[in-house]
Amino acid sequence: MTERSKIKVIKKGTPKPAVEKKTDPSRTKREAAREIVSTVTNWVSDFQQQKRQQTQLAIEQLFGQQPRSNES
């Protein structure tokens, strides 16, 4: 007459804090994005510097040694 019903206990794991997961990946994404922007900016400035140097050398070669008519 006394039937016992079986009770199944389901244990849930410890909940992981969702706030930490959201902030850590976003920080690393931001840092990675900043690093990429910095790298590309350095590439652009290096490229511009090379172009300026090449242009300066070309101008010096073309106009640097002009014959002077007043030299005796």
Side-chain angles (χ1 to χ4, degrees):
M1 299 212 115
T2 60
E3 291 185 25
R4 297 175 98 188
S5 62
K6 294 184 180 179
I7 298 174
K8 185 174 182 181
V9 177
I10 301 174
K11 292 185 178 180
K12 294 182 180 179
T14 57
K16 297 178 183 176
V19 175
E20 289 180 327
K21 284 188 176 182
K22 289 182 181 178
T23 57
D24 290 339
S26 66
R27 286 183 184 173
T28 58
K29 287 181 183 179
R30 285 181 187 168
E31 291 172 359
R34 287 179 183 155
E35 185 178 345
I36 290 170
V37 168
S38 175
T39 302
V40 172
T41 303
N42 288 337
W43 289 347
V44 170
S45 65
D46 288 345
F47 180 73
Q48 289 175 343
Q49 185 68 23
Q50 289 176 356
K51 283 294 198 181
R52 289 182 188 130
Q53 289 175 351
Q54 291 174 355
T55 304
Q56 185 179 7
L57 288 174
I59 290 173
E60 287 176 359
Q61 287 178 354
L62 287 175
F63 302 113
Q65 298 182 5
Q66 294 179 349
R68 297 181 184 172
S69 61
N70 292 340
E71 288 185 9
S72 318

